[in-house]
Amino acid sequence: MTDEMVRAAAEGAEPERTRVLEALEPWVRLMVIARLGPPVAQIDGLKEVTQEVMVALTPGITRLENQTARGLRAFTSQIVRHKVSDLLSRQQKGVADGRPIRSLDSTVCRPSGAHPLWQLLSASGTSPGSAAARAEQIARLMAELGQLKPRYREVITLAVFDALPMAEIAREMGLAQPATARQLLKRALLTLRRKMQDEGESKMR
Amino acid sequence: MALPIERDPSAGVEDPLDHALEAIRHGDGSQLDLLLESEEPGGPRLGELFQDLFSSQTRLFVGLESQSRVADYQICREIGRGGMGVVYEAEQLEPRRRVALKVLPGLYADEFHLKLFRREIQILARLKHAAIATIYEAGQTPEGQHFFTMELARGVPLNEYVREREMPLPERLTLFLKIGQAVNYAHQHGVIHCDLKPSNIIIDADGNPKILDFGLARLTDADVVITTVISETGKIMGTLPYMSPEQTRGNPAEIDLRSDTYSLGVVLYELLTERLPYDLNRAAVPEAIRIICEETPRRPSIFRRALLGDLETITLKALEKEPSRRYQSALALTEDLERYLTHQPILARPPRTMYQFRKLVARHKVVFVSLAFVLAALLVFIATMRIQLSATARQRDLAVTAEQDKDQIMAFILDDMLAAANPSQAHGSNVTVRQVLDEASLRLKSRFADQPQIEAAFRETIGSSYRSLELYDDAEPHLRAALALRKQFATDEPARFATALRSLAHLLRDMGDCAEAEPLYLQALSIRRELWGDNHPDIAESLTDLANLKYSEREYKKAESLFRQALELRRSLPGDQRCDVADSLFDLAQLQHTIYQYQAARSSYNQALAIYRQVGDQPLREADIMNCLANLFRPMVDLAAAEQMHRDVLKLRRLHLGDKHLDVSESLMNLAVVLREMRTYEEVEGLYLEALEIYRDLLGGEHRDVGGALIGLGSSLSERGRPEIGEPRLREGLAIWRKTPPQENWLYAEAESLLGECLTHLERYEEAQPLVLRGYLAVKEAKGEQHRRTGMALDRIIQLYEAWERPDQAAEYRALRPPAKFLEQPSP
């Protein structure tokens, strides 16, 4: 996706808009997954939010101020955050009303379960055995991401999944400097890596 | 998947981290891995994993577009969507016709759903009946999409059809007969539908039914594979209000043709009354299941007077809880309806009184199970009283005979005590053990005013029952009165007097009044010594009483000495004393466990366990010992052994006690704690939730064990990075503990510190601070500085200050950690 494509889509060129939105959808889905946690029980939430984001993006793209790929990225990230937050509030309200919520997160740490979602996320291009092992690792990655403290999870999501630049991440997270965001991200990634290693070792035991 | 975002030249990527992130998006995760490796060697290759994640195909199913093609079919519109697939109206190109096309979404294309999908095809292929949609074709597209096509049923769902036309009763019954006959046809071809409900029955313009959706159906012949699939998952599948009790229990072995007969019964009920047999509107799923399994359906005649009589009897027979009491087939049901329609006598009969009484017991299983020990004690008592009163009658020339006394006792149990459990009386359906005991207490005095021995026996039983419910204030007057009554006959019946002394002493010990309990125990011991000498099982029992008392007073040395005396005595007694010896070893082991003599405790537990295993018929006692042993493995840092043993205990308890028992919930909680310590969280919340449900059902929502389970659940969620969901549960648990505090005060403070930890995760540091500080001080005071739990409380403070970016304060508390590892050991 180039700046030119985004500009054309923003100016109302239908083929470009379709192409841009089609290319964005899988990414939106990943951005949502990163926020909801491994969504075995959140599949409905995932579908719901992805759909809401795409619905918002369809007319929204014509109102894009910064008509570049970077601008669209930031814009999409904002919408995703908004919609996920709405979903979580709705689920929280469900808890307050005494209704059970399906997410709970009882599924957060079920990396080894061969749930279809993980099959859908499985790596391609390798032998079935190694693809399965890779899928298992990816599932663990997402499970551990879901267990990080909120600030760590947020910085990784913004930097890796939303692909926002450090200055924007710092602004979003209320940090004084992009360098602080970078430090925070580094700590978060190292923590994630350690957790994955611990988890792997405990499984070995 | 190609990256949709190209490098942004304006971003000014200079930092290696920014560069590495950008590289991932271009399919190269190795740069991030190099960078992280240089910071901290070793560890998984995160960058490559992110790269794989982004390049994988996210083939989430989003539905088929109108006009899109599946094999030779063109999609027209979606007409239904459920757990088992999506159904479209489609146009077949050759021969040209409209069909219903069902696809299995990619999202569900796992082995389990594929099996169900294929089975539906297999089942439909077996059935050729005017009231069952015919299958045309099944296959898979080159893209791997599984589908099948069948006859397109045009019409409206049954209940809508009936309502819109305001059909008179006989017509409704005639329509129902057609449905029943189609179900019977399926049964004859070895197919159980398992999801019969009005929305799966379409009525066409000519008034003919078509039964749809065999997605959950089962084959009655050797469908081993599928049976296994369902039992492995233990899922409840179907639509709750139409499901038979055995279906709601989720055990496939219980499901047979009669499950469909039940669902047909619900359909019939709805057809006749336009209501469901149970009001499940506001019930959560577990409550709805309980209602279906336990409560009596509302009589159809309540809604429609004309149904009173045979139609009601037929409908209610189809809705019997026990399959054996139901119509044994759809055919039997339809035949009885035909008899009704042709004014012949029907075969169904209303339930009899004795059966209704058995149902009363079944409905109030908890009450009756809890009362079982009361009843057992009373029945033993009756047997002995018969002999005793015969003698007494002769000796004292009493007017009443022993037989009359027995009848009086039985009448009291049945009319007065158990009457409280009858929902037709004032208490309604939520009767508790306490209500039964209260009722008996009120009526006792007047019933046995001139029979002090019988009154004493009842009071001992009722008092001990209150005690077991921890209703000490209610227990005390009964046990004191029983003792006073027994005292009148102390010379004739010293052994009973000693028992009454012990019963009151047990209560006083539980109430914390050890000073008053001790002389009673000593008096009982002295009476028994006078009666039996020093070498008698009762002496060992009394020594154990005293040992337990000393244990309660934390006089562990004295307790140990008394436990050992009891053990030695039991070992020296003639006859088979193995179980008593094992009990003494178990007592001793628990004491050693408490005073941190882990190796000794382990040896004593194992000896006790070996004896019980040798005896072989007391699996629950074995489970109790294994439970303690598993708890011992935790501080001995053998978590794998602890986990395995807790799993074994849970299995044993489930097997012998059923799923809904307090001992089962104890095991669930223990296993959850071990798994958390092992950081294997997959099952943890499920375990807490199941324990919580048991506690709520058996103890009520305000019991401290409910609070404990909520706190466990909340802190586990918080630990796993879901503090926003954990917080309300922790607060709910703490609110319960404020009203009904845990057995030890410091536990409350510790739970507050867990809430503090949760708030730390939520970055609400100021709120967290007082909680973690208070928690630490309380745990330290109770358990000592060196204790593992003190260490955990201290870690919560350190964690708070680190997250708050207050390194000085974090360092200050870090300095408080002792150089050696925290241990489970006594406070100084």
Side-chain angles (χ1 to χ4, degrees):
Chain A
M1 190 191 306
T2 59
D3 286 351
E4 288 69 36
M5 271 172 66
V6 173
R7 195 169 303 117
E11 283 167 1
E14 195 44 52
E16 276 74 12
R17 189 167 73 156
T18 306
R19 279 174 63 198
V20 165
L21 290 174
E22 273 177 5
L24 261 182
E25 186 169 349
W27 286 89
V28 167
R29 202 172 288 131
L30 280 176
M31 286 154 84
V32 177
I33 290 175
R35 288 173 166 87
L36 287 180
V40 177
Q42 282 279 30
I43 286 176
D44 288 344
L46 165 66
K47 288 200 298 201
E48 194 179 326
V49 175
T50 306
Q51 197 175 17
E52 284 176 6
V53 174
M54 295 314 293
V55 166
L57 272 173
T58 308
I61 199 167
T62 56
R63 295 193 296 274
L64 196 64
E65 283 177 15
N66 180 354
Q67 295 178 351
T68 60
R70 181 183 167 198
L72 179 60
R73 212 152 63 192
F75 182 56
T76 309
S77 167
Q78 255 177 13
I79 297 176
V80 170
R81 269 176 277 157
H82 205 76
K83 297 292 178 190
V84 169
S85 158
D86 282 354
L87 175 82
L88 292 176
S89 316
R90 286 200 295 275
Q91 291 183 340
Q92 272 301 105
K93 191 170 177 304
V95 174
D97 292 347
R99 280 182 278 118
I101 60 162
R102 289 183 57 206
S103 70
L104 248 190
D105 96 335
S106 56
T107 56
V108 163
C109 199
R110 197 182 287 166
S112 59
H115 189 277
L117 187 62
W118 297 120
Q119 293 166 2
L120 297 171
L121 287 174
S122 66
S124 53
T126 44
S127 71
S130 62
R134 206 68 175 156
E136 180 102 348
Q137 277 184 305
I138 290 174
R140 266 181 45 209
L141 169 76
M142 296 303 281
E144 291 298 344
L145 177 67
Q147 288 180 51
L148 286 181
K149 66 181 201 174
R151 225 164 158 68
Y152 283 176
R153 191 164 50 180
E154 188 181 358
V155 73
I156 293 178
T157 305
L158 292 173
V160 181
F161 289 84
D162 294 10
L164 292 188
M166 288 301 158
E168 235 154 292
I169 294 172
R171 198 164 47 245
E172 286 300 334
M173 296 188 67
L175 302 168
Q177 306 272 343
T180 321
R182 213 167 272 125
Q183 279 304 318
L184 184 67
L185 175 64
K186 206 178 280 180
R187 276 208 305 276
L189 287 168
L190 287 169
T191 307
L192 177 61
R193 202 159 162 262
R194 272 199 298 272
K195 275 175 167 277
M196 285 199 58
Q197 182 153 29
D198 291 350
E199 179 76 11
E201 281 170 3
S202 75
K203 281 207 184 305
M204 294 290 285
R205 285 200 298 272
Chain B
M1 182 168 63
L3 183 85
I5 299 164
E6 297 206 338
R7 185 166 173 178
D8 172 11
S10 65
V13 174
E14 295 298 334
D15 187 275
L17 182 60
D18 298 20
H19 195 74
L21 288 172
E22 200 64 28
I24 292 177
R25 292 173 215 132
H26 287 86
D28 176 13
S30 63
Q31 294 191 34
L32 180 67
D33 289 326
L34 280 173
L35 191 99
L36 294 176
E37 191 67 19
S38 69
E39 292 277 336
E40 212 173 83
R45 300 177 70 79
L46 276 193
E48 283 183 7
L49 286 174
F50 280 128
Q51 176 199 322
D52 271 357
L53 175 63
F54 296 153
S55 63
S56 66
Q57 293 295 316
T58 54
R59 292 174 289 114
L60 286 165
F61 183 79
V62 287
L64 298 172
E65 295 293 326
S66 174
Q67 301 305 311
S68 63
R69 290 273 293 272
V70 174
D72 287 336
Y73 301 90
Q74 186 157 6
I75 301 297
C76 303
R77 66 188 178 100
E78 184 178 315
I79 53 179
R81 185 179 275 257
M84 294 298 134
V86 186
V87 184
Y88 298 91
E89 183 177 338
E91 177 92 24
Q92 187 174 8
L93 304 178
E94 190 60 42
R96 206 163 189 89
R97 59 181 168 182
R98 286 284 165 125
V99 300
L101 182 143
K102 186 166 183 173
V103 296
L104 183 64
L107 199 60
Y108 300 109
D110 59 346
E111 203 183 339
F112 172 72
H113 288 91
L114 258 178
K115 272 183 183 161
L116 288 178
F117 195 76
R118 287 185 182 131
R119 190 180 44 167
E120 188 176 358
I121 294 168
Q122 194 189 344
I123 282 169
L124 283 172
R126 277 186 183 206
L127 304 174
K128 294 204 184 335
H129 189 277
I132 297 171
T134 312
I135 191 163
Y136 295 144
E137 186 190 357
Q140 197 176 359
T141 64
E143 296 77 37
Q145 182 100 61
H146 295 267
F147 73 94
F148 69 83
T149 55
M150 58 186 164
E151 184 186 349
L152 181 66
R154 294 181 192 273
V156 289
L158 174 66
N159 43 0
E160 212 175 292
Y161 181 84
V162 168
R163 212 173 24 246
E164 277 174 6
R165 282 164 185 73
E166 295 179 357
M167 284 173 82
L169 200 61
E171 279 182 34
R172 290 181 189 219
L173 290 173
T174 309
L175 180 57
F176 179 81
L177 282 178
K178 288 183 189 171
I179 297 162
Q181 282 152 3
V183 174
N184 181 48
Y185 169 87
H187 287 176
Q188 284 175 340
H189 286 76
V191 175
I192 313 168
H193 187 284
C194 292
D195 197 16
L196 287 169
K197 55 183 174 181
S199 60
N200 279 342
I201 302 168
I202 298 289
I203 312 296
D204 68 17
D206 300 329
N208 291 317
K210 190 78 81 181
I211 298 175
L212 307 175
D213 201 353
F214 282 74
L216 294 180
R218 298 181 66 202
L219 300 175
T220 49
D221 44 14
D223 192 11
V224 180
V225 178
I226 295 302
T227 309
T228 313
V229 167
I230 293 185
S231 60
E232 270 171 5
T233 62
K235 277 180 190 166
I236 296 173
M237 306 189 95
T239 310
L240 208 50
Y242 301 89
M243 281 163 77
S244 61
E246 63 270 20
Q247 272 177 290
T248 65
R249 287 191 286 268
N251 179 3
E254 286 186 70
I255 297 168
D256 59 23
L257 305 177
R258 295 171 297 183
S259 305
D260 273 355
T261 311
Y262 180 94
S263 304
L264 276 177
V266 183
V267 172
L268 175 62
Y269 190 110
E270 203 177 356
L271 207 55
L272 298 177
T273 64
E274 297 191 7
R275 286 180 177 81
L276 288 165
Y278 306 100
D279 181 9
L280 303 176
N281 273 343
R282 281 184 290 277
V285 173
E287 174 62 3
I289 291 174
R290 190 197 63 73
I291 291 171
I292 291 170
C293 292
E294 293 177 12
E295 295 204 350
T296 311
R298 299 178 288 188
R299 305 182 79 84
S301 57
I302 296 172
F303 305 113
R304 204 165 171 180
R305 191 87 194 131
L307 301 173
L308 191 65
D310 282 356
L311 264 186
E312 180 162 279
T313 305
I314 291 172
T315 314
L316 293 178
K317 186 173 173 70
L319 294 176
E320 282 286 357
K321 312 276 182 216
E322 293 170 31
S324 61
R325 301 189 61 82
R326 229 175 266 158
Y327 287 108
Q328 296 301 292
S329 64
L331 180 67
L333 168 61
T334 51
E335 282 178 350
D336 228 10
L337 268 179
E338 277 170 352
R339 279 186 206 98
Y340 169 80
L341 282 170
T342 52
H343 308 292
Q344 297 173 53
I346 61 163
L347 295 185
R349 289 282 168 270
R352 286 181 315 184
T353 316
M354 193 55 214
Y355 173 67
Q356 282 173 324
F357 178 75
R358 283 216 315 274
K359 285 213 294 191
L360 168 78
V361 175
R363 261 202 309 279
H364 300 286
K365 210 169 170 185
V366 174
V367 174
F368 282 87
V369 166
S370 310
L371 275 175
F373 71 100
V374 180
L375 295 178
L378 286 171
L379 290 173
V380 169
F381 167 72
I382 289 164
T384 52
M385 283 302 283
R386 280 185 76 177
I387 301 162
Q388 192 191 345
L389 287 173
S390 298
T392 315
R394 281 193 301 276
Q395 285 165 9
R396 300 187 185 179
D397 197 21
L398 290 175
V400 289
T401 64
E403 204 56 34
Q404 281 171 322
D405 281 331
K406 190 200 84 177
D407 289 345
Q408 265 191 290
I409 294 165
M410 282 307 291
F412 179 69
I413 293 170
L414 294 173
D415 298 344
D416 297 322
M417 290 185 78
L418 298 189
N422 187 344
S424 63
Q425 296 201 3
H427 294 298
S429 59
N430 292 323
V431 66
T432 62
V433 177
R434 178 177 190 160
Q435 282 170 331
V436 175
L437 293 171
D438 289 349
E439 199 75 30
S441 303
L442 281 175
R443 301 181 190 210
L444 182 61
K445 187 71 195 170
S446 58
R447 278 284 198 140
F448 299 106
D450 53 354
Q451 290 158 284
Q453 286 151 298
I454 301 178
E455 186 188 337
F458 268 113
R459 287 196 184 282
E460 275 165 14
T461 308
I462 293 170
S464 299
S465 305
Y466 273 130
R467 180 184 147 236
S468 68
L469 295 173
E470 300 183 17
L471 299 167
Y472 300 138
D473 291 341
D474 294 302
E476 193 174 356
H478 283 289
L479 293 177
R480 284 196 187 278
L483 182 61
L485 290 166
R486 291 288 187 202
K487 201 172 179 179
Q488 294 174 28
F489 303 96
T491 320
D492 290 344
E493 295 177 347
R496 289 187 188 281
F497 180 47
T499 304
L501 283 165
R502 291 181 63 230
S503 296
L504 180 59
H506 292 336
L507 174 74
L508 293 166
R509 185 197 64 201
D510 288 353
M511 291 166 79
D513 193 349
C514 294
E516 199 190 340
E518 188 166 4
L520 300 183
Y521 279 134
L522 287 170
Q523 194 180 351
L525 175 62
S526 149
I527 291 168
R528 285 173 157 186
R529 277 197 166 125
E530 270 180 42
L531 271 174
W532 319 115
D534 281 338
N535 294 320
H536 189 275
D538 281 1
I539 304 301
E541 189 179 60
S542 277
L543 288 170
T544 306
D545 287 342
L546 281 164
N548 280 321
L549 184 77
K550 292 293 152 196
Y551 181 86
S552 305
E553 292 180 296
R554 301 188 183 203
E555 291 189 40
Y556 297 128
K557 280 213 159 84
K558 285 185 186 164
E560 187 179 356
S561 159
L562 286 159
F563 278 138
R564 286 190 185 280
Q565 285 178 50
L567 174 63
E568 290 319 311
L569 177 54
R570 283 172 169 167
R571 276 180 171 151
S572 71
L573 289 171
D576 186 1
Q577 306 291 334
R578 285 180 299 171
C579 288
D580 288 341
V581 169
D583 283 346
S584 278
L585 282 164
F586 188 24
D587 289 334
L588 185 61
Q590 289 176 82
L591 173 82
Q592 290 162 331
H593 189 161
T594 307
I595 58 176
Y596 309 96
Q597 294 176 0
Y598 293 144
Q599 294 300 345
R602 186 176 185 164
S603 159
S604 303
Y605 281 134
N606 279 328
Q607 286 179 59
L609 193 56
I611 294 173
Y612 270 110
R613 282 183 174 155
Q614 192 190 23
V615 173
D617 61 347
Q618 303 223 34
L620 289 173
R621 198 66 175 148
E622 278 179 42
D624 290 342
I625 299 169
M626 286 160 68
N627 181 48
C628 290
L629 192 51
N631 284 336
L632 179 71
F633 286 140
R634 271 178 53 217
M636 292 178 87
V637 204
D638 191 351
L639 293 177
E643 182 200 349
Q644 190 51 54
M645 197 158 275
H646 277 309
R647 284 191 193 282
D648 293 344
V649 175
L650 181 59
K651 206 167 152 189
L652 270 175
R653 286 177 168 173
R654 280 195 202 275
L655 183 68
H656 295 281
L657 300 169
D659 287 340
K660 192 148 278 189
H661 193 282
L662 290 176
D663 286 356
V664 171
S665 52
E666 180 196 47
S667 285
L668 292 165
M669 295 279 288
N670 283 339
L671 182 57
V673 170
V674 172
L675 292 175
R676 277 173 69 180
E677 286 190 22
M678 295 172 81
R679 291 174 51 82
T680 48
Y681 289 99
E682 284 139 56
E683 297 165 71
V684 170
E685 271 119 47
L687 295 169
Y688 278 127
L689 286 170
E690 192 185 342
L692 191 58
E693 195 186 319
I694 297 173
Y695 285 138
R696 278 183 172 146
D697 283 355
L698 300 186
L699 304 172
E702 294 295 299
H703 194 275
R704 64 166 170 252
D705 288 344
V706 172
L710 280 164
I711 288 162
L713 176 63
S715 58
S716 163
L717 286 165
S718 153
E719 215 169 275
R720 297 181 52 192
R722 282 306 174 101
E724 69 282 2
I725 306 174
E727 185 193 351
R729 283 164 178 81
L730 280 162
R731 290 197 186 277
E732 196 186 340
L734 281 165
I736 291 172
W737 274 13
R738 266 194 296 280
K739 285 185 225 155
T740 47
Q743 274 156 339
E744 296 182 68
N745 289 336
W746 64 272
L747 285 168
Y748 181 83
E750 190 186 48
E752 277 194 325
S753 118
L754 290 168
L755 176 61
E757 184 180 41
C758 178
L759 295 170
T760 302
H761 292 317
L762 289 167
E763 303 185 25
R764 283 152 59 186
Y765 304 126
E766 280 178 14
E767 279 178 76
Q769 183 171 241
L771 298 174
V772 293
L773 290 175
R774 206 156 57 214
Y776 167 63
L777 292 174
V779 179
K780 188 173 79 167
E781 194 183 324
K783 307 297 282 182
E785 272 186 38
Q786 304 286 311
H787 198 278
R788 199 166 55 97
R789 291 172 88 149
T790 311
M792 286 157 80
L794 182 59
D795 284 345
R796 284 179 209 120
I797 302 179
I798 299 167
Q799 188 186 14
L800 164 74
Y801 288 129
E802 278 177 351
W804 207 350
E805 288 169 18
R806 293 188 172 186
D808 294 348
Q809 279 161 295
E812 189 186 319
Y813 280 93
R814 203 175 291 111
L816 295 177
R817 285 184 130 268
K821 212 175 166 188
F822 281 106
L823 296 168
E824 292 266 9
Q825 52 180 251
S827 50

